[in-house]
Amino acid sequence: MTLLNNSYPIFEADQVLSQKHLNKFISYLEEQDRLSRLQLLGMGLVCGMEISKPSNTSIHVQCGVGVTSLGHLIPFEAQTFTHF
């Protein structure tokens, strides 16, 4: 279950920000980033990761990215597999 955080930090002129304020702000931005990916794309969708077979004994997978059920990105670097 994902909890929506509808409140956001408000900053004022000449305000002194503490470690707690900055960490809360980063957490808010990360949560909004994940939620936007989750709602716009859906989980498990993959971009890239094209498969080719350069030889009879190997499979090459291009780089790409997927999205978890929590909205986290999973990057995948290009790899060639010769066995399983």
Side-chain angles (χ1 to χ4, degrees):
M1 178 171 99
T2 303
L3 298 176
L4 294 175
N5 182 358
N6 292 330
S7 64
Y8 54 89
I10 297 177
F11 301 107
E12 298 176 10
D14 300 321
Q15 178 180 0
V16 176
L17 298 176
S18 69
Q19 175 182 341
K20 181 180 174 183
H21 292 117
L22 294 172
N23 287 331
K24 187 175 179 180
F25 182 63
I26 294 299
S27 295
Y28 170 79
L29 291 176
E30 287 176 344
E31 180 180 351
Q32 294 303 311
D33 198 29
R34 285 193 305 272
L35 288 174
S36 66
R37 280 195 297 266
L38 185 62
Q39 297 301 322
L40 294 174
L41 300 174
M43 65 182 175
L45 294 180
V46 176
C47 179
M49 298 182 74
E50 295 179 14
I51 298 174
S52 62
K53 190 173 180 188
S55 71
N56 287 337
T57 59
S58 66
I59 294 175
H60 182 75
V61 181
Q62 297 285 352
C63 62
V65 67
V67 179
T68 70
S69 60
L70 295 176
H72 295 283
L73 290 178
I74 302 174
F76 182 83
E77 294 183 16
Q79 292 184 24
T80 300
F81 299 96
T82 58
H83 59 280
F84 63 96

